[in-house]
Amino acid sequence: MSPIAVIDFETTGISPGQGARATEVAIVLLEGGRVVDRFQSLMNAGVHVPHFITQLTGITNAMVAAAPPAERVMADAARFVGDLPMVAHNAAFDRKFWQAELARAEVQAAQPFACTVLLSRRLYPHAPNHKLGSLVDFHRLPRFGQAHRALADAEMAAALLAHMQHDLRQRWRVACPEHTLLMALQRCAKPAVAALLARHAEPATA
DNA sequence: TGCCAGGCCCTCTTTAGGGCCTT
């Protein structure tokens, strides 16, 4: 199975269009259901970290001030990812920051993003909700480190993705749940999910 | 003055509204 880069950002706010900047990025490479490599760094974008964000993440202004410049971190992150397809939990959020921070670093960003929220809504419609922590508990997956830190959340998103790929193989008989299938699945209208998975299922053996 | 994200998705919908999800 081809590797997938699972990413998570910690930021100063909700939208780069409103001036929010990244404070930390973590990326884990998932291959064959296992994490095979990791990238993590705080970054200094020269902005103030709101008190609310420090309470949520534990990331302080002093930590960010001591971190390497955001442009250098993002250039390193882009080299780490290469042209691998990407996954994030609520990918619309992380994709916005990935593209905005890479643009500031003058680095191209063309990776396709799949979203574990959209996938979870299709594969597990009976989950109590689709927050990352709730899904980790719902599927009885291990927790990693401090929630709302980038590496811990990226590890949990990767564990969730690996669990989805396992279920696609075991429950829906999908032989090869690669990133292209994940992209098709997350775009698929919910009533058509079963038909899509059936088209990708291995033929039943006699 | 008052507002300030945005894409997805459900429903008391479709000429709309509001909750979810991320920090």
Side-chain angles (χ1 to χ4, degrees), chain A residues 1-4 85 165 168 174-184:
Chain A
M1 191 123 57
S2 303
I4 292 174
Q165 291 179 311
L168 283 167
V174 174
C176 200
E178 300 280 2
H179 194 270
T180 51
L181 173 67
L182 301 179
M183 295 294 287

Side-chain angles (χ1 to χ4, degrees), chain A residues 36-186:
Chain A
V36 296
D37 206 352
R38 295 169 174 83
F39 176 93
Q40 178 274 332
S41 182
L42 290 160
M43 66 178 85
N44 185 357
V47 295
H48 178 76
V49 180
H51 180 63
F52 163 73
I53 295 295
T54 297
Q55 284 190 309
L56 178 69
T57 66
I59 296 172
T60 65
N61 280 292
M63 292 165 66
V64 168
E71 289 78 9
R72 188 200 308 167
V73 172
M74 291 306 300
D76 290 345
R79 276 192 292 272
F80 182 79
V81 171
D83 58 0
L84 292 179
M86 302 185 77
V87 166
H89 196 70
N90 196 23
F93 176 87
D94 291 284
R95 184 178 58 233
K96 278 190 304 185
F97 280 94
W98 177 250
Q99 293 172 342
E101 294 293 349
L102 285 180
R104 288 175 177 273
E106 299 182 343
V107 177
Q108 295 290 323
Q111 297 85 353
F113 270 74
C115 175
T116 46
V117 174
L118 298 182
L119 293 169
S120 178
R121 285 174 177 164
R122 284 159 177 77
L123 296 178
Y124 312 113
H126 303 300
N129 61 62
H130 300 279
K131 295 178 183 177
L132 180 58
S134 299
L135 290 170
V136 164
D137 292 339
F138 180 69
H139 295 295
R140 299 183 179 181
L141 302 173
R143 283 185 173 270
F144 297 85
Q146 178 188 353
H148 296 299
R149 286 299 299 268
L151 185 58
D153 284 2
E155 295 264 14
M156 287 194 289
L160 176 61
L161 175 62
H163 184 80
M164 289 175 173
Q165 291 179 311
H166 176 269
D167 276 352
L168 283 167
R169 285 191 296 267
Q170 296 298 315
R171 292 171 56 181
W172 287 284
R173 313 300 300 170
V174 174
C176 200
E178 300 280 2
H179 194 270
T180 51
L181 173 67
L182 301 179
M183 295 294 287
L185 181 57
Q186 74 176 20

